[in-house]
Amino acid sequence: MLLGVLIVVRVRVIDGYKRILDIRKEFKSEFKEYNVLIKNLGLYLKPSHIVVVKGKKYVYHSRYWWRLERGKEKRKIKWKYLGKSIPKNIPKPPPYPLEGLAYLKDGNDVIIDMNTYMKFKHLFHGLKVKIE
């Protein structure tokens, strides 16, 4: 009997990245409009974040809040990360069906753990999956 061993089941969604791009495209204009709305507050909402580690691309979808700040030179703009919590007293952001989805992009496939797949499988309906 093995104690303390965690086995993570990974799911490869074939062409899952294409589906994600379609969903992002569908919501892109809503985020643009929202960012225009909150721009006068000096805020910006970024719906996804990409991290590349050792040639592997990890993509995280959430609500990442940023504040635009002017540097000492008025032409320079600095971005300050505020976190994932919604700043107070601003309009509610648009819904985003990808929120909470994190995956490894491998070509046009996405690789996610089984728990994440179960939560978002409705987005990948009709696509082929492989258990790894």
Side-chain angles (χ1 to χ4, degrees), residues 59-75:
V59 184
Y60 303 91
H61 295 278
S62 188
R63 291 189 168 129
Y64 302 99
W65 295 94
W66 294 82
R67 177 173 301 285
L68 292 170
E69 297 179 344
R70 295 258 180 223
K72 291 179 182 177
E73 298 175 29
K74 292 195 177 197
R75 292 180 297 161

Side-chain angles (χ1 to χ4, degrees), residues 4-67:
V5 176
L6 177 65
I7 299 173
V8 177
V9 177
R10 296 183 342 158
V11 178
R12 176 182 292 269
V13 182
I14 309 301
D15 288 331
Y17 190 65
K18 288 180 181 180
R19 179 72 53 88
I20 289 170
L21 287 178
D22 289 343
I23 295 168
R24 285 179 60 185
K25 187 177 180 181
E26 184 179 331
F27 286 85
K28 186 176 183 176
S29 64
E30 290 183 39
F31 278 100
K32 278 186 174 184
E33 288 174 22
Y34 182 76
N35 280 324
V36 167
L37 179 68
I38 63 172
K39 182 179 181 179
N40 63 349
L41 301 172
L43 297 173
Y44 179 77
L45 175 60
K46 182 179 168 188
S48 60
H49 183 66
I50 298 172
V51 177
V52 179
V53 178
K54 295 181 182 178
K56 293 183 178 183
K57 187 184 264 189
Y58 296 89
V59 184
Y60 303 91
H61 295 278
S62 188
R63 291 189 168 129
Y64 302 99
W65 295 94
W66 294 82
R67 177 173 301 285

Side-chain angles (χ1 to χ4, degrees), residues 105-119:
K105 180 184 176 293
D106 186 18
N108 283 321
D109 299 349
V110 296
I111 301 170
I112 53 181
D113 65 75
M114 181 59 82
N115 289 337
T116 303
Y117 175 74
M118 295 307 290
K119 183 176 176 183

Side-chain angles (χ1 to χ4, degrees), residues 74-112:
K74 292 195 177 197
R75 292 180 297 161
K76 278 195 168 181
I77 295 176
K78 291 172 48 178
W79 291 86
K80 181 180 178 187
Y81 178 63
L82 300 177
K84 291 186 191 181
S85 311
I86 298 174
K88 294 180 181 177
N89 303 322
I90 64 165
K92 187 176 178 182
Y96 190 44
L98 298 176
E99 187 170 350
L101 177 62
Y103 55 89
L104 169 63
K105 180 184 176 293
D106 186 18
N108 283 321
D109 299 349
V110 296
I111 301 170
I112 53 181

